[in-house]
Amino acid sequence: QVQLVESGGGVVQPGRSLRLSCAASGFTFSSDGMHWVRQAPGKGLEWVALISNSGSYTLHADSVKGRFAFSRDNSRNMAYLQMNSLRVEDTAVYYCAKDKGGHWALDYWGQGTLVTVSS
Amino acid sequence: QSVLTQPASVSGSPGQSITVSCTGTSSDVGGYNYVSWYQQHPGKAPKLMIYDVSDRPSGVSNRFSGSKSGNTASLTISGLQAEDEADYYCSSYTTSSTWVFGGGTKLTVL
């Protein structure tokens, strides 16, 4: 069965960096794009980015442009979110989710990892 | 990115039907048949319930259905059950090659 497990969250000071990881199993990882979605405490879902199946391109929200970078290692079934210049408003649970190819939907989600940006 | 507009809350009694609306623009909901709906129980990850406006993933009850008219999509849950109590989010692909979510609707089963 499809399983996505995020890791790397924690408490970080404003302006610092953090890298999140997403370990995938149960499907052909190299065939599907991977999304990142975040949810601030008590708030709704916010789409962050999609990295294509090959990693050749990414699409991302304006709110993270120039600060966040996205990558994947298909040999290790891993996706990564590098967060730089973190702001208090980046505090959220970050989910990785598998793209449902050809349908522009997110069909499997990880359990999320909490990132808290605070001084 | 704009947020799709959903009612903050809806409620219904067991066995009844409810509908959650999701209003966007011609740049998202109205522009594509790529509306999806997600269910989220407290403290849990979202779960895909509807994709491509009205298709259900394998394993999702046929009590859940979706539709769209113009810039507004809708999720209908028939035969409400206690376990349907959750937050529901709509989402759409956009002309900016991004995805946008609604603000979420809290469903209370009375």
Side-chain angles (χ1 to χ4, degrees), chain A residues 2-107:
Chain A
V2 174
Q3 192 168 14
L4 299 170
V5 179
E6 302 92 339
S7 60
V11 180
V12 61
Q13 293 180 325
R16 302 298 290 266
S17 298
L18 200 64
R19 189 177 87 152
L20 306 184
S21 300
C22 171
S25 61
F27 65 103
T28 304
F29 184 69
S30 59
S31 294
D32 292 306
M34 294 296 295
H35 295 263
W36 290 92
V37 176
R38 68 184 180 182
Q39 186 170 34
K43 302 297 184 181
L45 301 173
E46 180 188 9
W47 179 80
V48 174
L50 165 76
I51 183 166
S52 65
N53 63 320
S54 66
S56 61
Y57 72 87
T58 61
L59 303 168
H60 55 268
D62 288 343
S63 57
V64 304
K65 188 178 295 184
R67 298 189 302 123
F68 289 11
F70 310 91
S71 60
R72 62 190 294 162
D73 183 344
N74 286 347
S75 67
R76 300 182 64 198
N77 289 0
M78 297 289 295
Y80 303 100
L81 169 52
Q82 176 68 43
M83 302 184 292
N84 302 319
S85 302
L86 281 162
R87 304 168 179 169
V88 171
E89 55 265 34
D90 294 320
T91 295
V93 173
Y94 285 75
Y95 297 98
C96 65
K98 173 183 164 300
D99 184 67
K100 186 173 178 61
H103 298 281
W104 281 262
L106 291 66
D107 58 354

Side-chain angles (χ1 to χ4, degrees), chain B:
Chain B
Q1 276 87 350
S2 62
V3 174
L4 306 177
T5 300
Q6 299 181 230
S9 63
V10 296
S11 62
S13 300
Q16 289 186 332
S17 295
I18 63 94
T19 296
V20 180
S21 62
C22 169
T23 301
T25 69
S26 58
S27 296
D28 37 65
V29 173
Y32 302 97
N33 286 326
Y34 296 134
V35 176
S36 50
W37 289 90
Y38 303 86
Q39 176 192 66
Q40 186 179 35
H41 287 109
K44 301 296 187 181
K47 175 186 176 183
L48 178 65
M49 304 302 285
I50 296 287
Y51 66 96
D52 291 356
V53 175
S54 60
D55 289 343
R56 277 187 311 274
S58 173
V60 172
S61 171
N62 59 9
R63 297 186 298 106
F64 292 82
S65 62
S67 63
K68 190 186 86 166
S69 177
N71 295 337
T72 298
S74 298
L75 171 72
T76 297
I77 309 174
S78 60
L80 268 180
Q81 298 179 0
E83 61 259 35
D84 298 333
E85 186 163 292
D87 294 326
Y88 291 84
Y89 294 90
C90 62
S91 178
S92 176
Y93 182 67
T94 81
T95 54
S96 300
S97 297
T98 61
W99 279 254
V100 64
F101 283 95
T105 297
K106 180 178 179 60
L107 169 61
T108 300
V109 180
L110 302 171

